Amino acid sequence: MSPPQPPTHYDVLNLTPSIVDDSPDAAKLVKKAYHRALLRNHPDKRGSHTNTSPRAPRAPTVSVDQVTAAFAVLSCPVRRAEYDTKLRQARALSGSAGPDSGHGFQTGVESVDLDDLPYDETKERWHRPCRCGNARGYLFGEEDLAEAEDEGELMVGCQDCSLWLRVHFAVVGDDAP
């Protein structure tokens, strides 16, 4: 049995990448989630330690430092994009995005050509809906393609389920005739 994985920044703030990506005001959403997570996990805000009723507040599952670190990364678009890339890479390499994530196995791999996917020019991301219902379950950008440039294919896991998309592409150089 492998050791438990630490929670992602999204887990700490009780968010998902797709919720943040699709939010019209992502900064406001992340800030609200940050405040909720602080209240939920701050030792002074949990209530009396002598209360033994079943409705007593639970011990925090993450530290205040983890909440603060998650907010610092997810509230900055550049840092969040870098973090999302690292999460996708880790998920693709290990077959898992964290504990109980549903990404333990690569089931349902579908192959597509990059030219067949819609491109959101405002967010500079390619996307595709997933069978699980997430309208932008598969989401990736130019930086993801650059990292997989040598292979000519990119494995993209759905943000909400265990399905995968194999995106085939070719790099065309600027010096092509």
Side-chain angles (χ1 to χ4, degrees):
M1 180 178 207
S2 63
Q5 298 291 321
T8 67
H9 291 324
Y10 292 102
D11 295 335
V12 169
L13 296 184
N14 199 24
L15 295 169
T16 64
S18 61
I19 289 173
V20 178
D21 286 336
D22 293 339
S23 173
D25 191 357
K28 187 176 180 179
L29 175 72
V30 171
K31 189 172 184 178
K32 280 185 176 184
Y34 166 68
H35 287 285
R36 281 192 308 269
L38 276 180
L39 287 173
R40 188 173 54 245
N41 294 288
H42 196 282
D44 295 338
K45 303 292 182 187
R46 288 184 286 134
S48 170
H49 295 285
T50 60
N51 187 351
T52 58
S53 73
R55 302 197 70 145
R58 297 184 332 225
T61 55
V62 296
S63 71
V64 173
D65 290 339
Q66 287 174 293
V67 173
T68 304
F71 174 71
V73 171
L74 298 182
S75 64
C76 174
V78 173
R79 290 181 68 188
R80 184 167 68 87
E82 291 171 358
Y83 181 74
D84 288 347
T85 299
K86 289 178 185 176
L87 280 180
R88 281 192 299 278
Q89 288 174 344
R91 185 185 330 153
L93 290 175
S94 70
S96 174
D100 303 320
S101 66
H103 292 287
F105 299 98
Q106 278 191 12
T107 59
V109 178
E110 183 179 352
S111 294
V112 297
D113 189 41
L114 179 64
D115 293 334
D116 296 334
L117 298 177
Y119 182 74
D120 184 343
E121 292 187 21
T122 58
K123 294 184 180 182
E124 298 180 341
R125 315 287 279 166
W126 282 271
H127 59 88
R128 181 179 172 136
C130 181
R131 292 188 319 214
C132 71
N134 185 336
R136 292 180 179 245
Y138 304 107
L139 190 66
F140 61 96
E142 189 75 36
E143 65 279 358
D144 301 310
L145 293 173
E147 292 174 15
E149 181 177 320
D150 293 336
E151 293 87 29
E153 71 178 37
L154 174 68
M155 290 296 290
V156 182
C158 176
Q159 298 176 52
D160 291 338
C161 72
S162 63
L163 299 177
W164 289 82
L165 193 64
R166 179 179 288 124
V167 180
H168 298 275
F169 64 97
V171 178
V172 179
D174 293 335
D175 57 342

